[in-house]
Amino acid sequence: MNYFKKLSAAACMIFLFACGDADRTPKGIMPPDKMTVVLRDLTIAEAYGNNVSSDQPIMFDSLRQEKIKLYSKQVLDLHHVSVKEFTTSYAWYEAHPDRLRDVLNKVQDDIVARKNKAPDMGEMSAPAAYRLRNIFPNAEKALLLSNGTDTIKPFIRHQK
């Protein structure tokens, strides 16, 4: 009978320790807050890359995809995340749909909040740096505003 009590106690301890890590992400996987920020910025970068400006009315899909790859790599560099770390983390989140849903809902809420906070079309005469700070408040070091024009390229850094 004593053996049964010890076995039951050991089983309960294992069960308690196994349940204790339910809200944690494994080592090597980005935590939900960081994954949310990276996915948000990647989403914005992709939208920016898909945007066709009036000076380039026709852009081939392959060029657009290369532009998006460049922006995406710069977003990952901005957050100090390697491509491997991101793909591993994203695969883990895909394997845990409830966690991925939570992250994607936060991304969507953040983008909607930024859209609602962005100036309306009447305020588009404001300087580009001001408009851009509303959308990308932490990316001032990564911005390139060309001299004498109002060209905005938020994910391209100066090449030295």
Side-chain angles (χ1 to χ4, degrees), residues 8-155:
S8 297
C12 287
M13 293 298 286
I14 290 171
F15 180 73
L16 288 174
F17 285 118
C19 292
D21 291 339
D23 291 338
R24 292 187 184 172
T25 53
K27 186 175 182 175
I29 303 298
M30 286 191 288
D33 292 339
K34 186 171 184 177
M35 189 69 171
T36 299
V37 172
V38 170
L39 281 175
R40 179 205 60 209
D41 289 350
L42 286 172
T43 303
I44 293 170
E46 184 175 356
Y48 186 79
N50 281 323
N51 189 18
V52 177
S53 62
S54 60
D55 61 338
Q56 290 180 330
I58 298 174
M59 181 181 282
F60 295 108
D61 192 46
S62 59
L63 294 174
R64 187 179 2 259
Q65 292 301 321
E66 284 300 315
K67 189 165 68 165
I68 291 171
K69 283 181 187 177
L70 174 69
Y71 294 159
S72 298
K73 176 66 173 129
Q74 290 175 348
V75 166
L76 293 178
D77 289 345
L78 185 70
H79 291 287
H80 308 290
V81 175
S82 69
V83 173
K84 184 178 187 229
E85 181 184 3
F86 176 76
T87 55
T88 302
S89 296
Y90 193 81
W92 185 86
Y93 278 97
E94 281 184 319
H96 298 84
D98 54 333
R99 302 256 183 101
L100 181 61
R101 186 180 321 109
D102 292 342
V103 167
L104 293 178
N105 285 340
K106 288 179 185 176
V107 169
Q108 183 178 8
D109 293 345
D110 192 7
I111 289 174
V112 167
R114 286 169 181 266
K115 182 181 175 189
N116 291 338
K117 191 171 111 175
D120 63 5
M121 294 306 285
E123 295 180 32
M124 293 308 288
S125 61
Y130 170 78
R131 294 191 318 251
L132 205 54
R133 270 189 230 105
N134 285 334
I135 300 170
F136 304 105
N138 299 322
E140 288 187 28
K141 294 178 183 170
L143 300 180
L144 168 67
L145 295 177
S146 61
N147 295 334
T149 65
D150 198 21
T151 304
I152 305 169
K153 299 187 186 225
F155 298 104

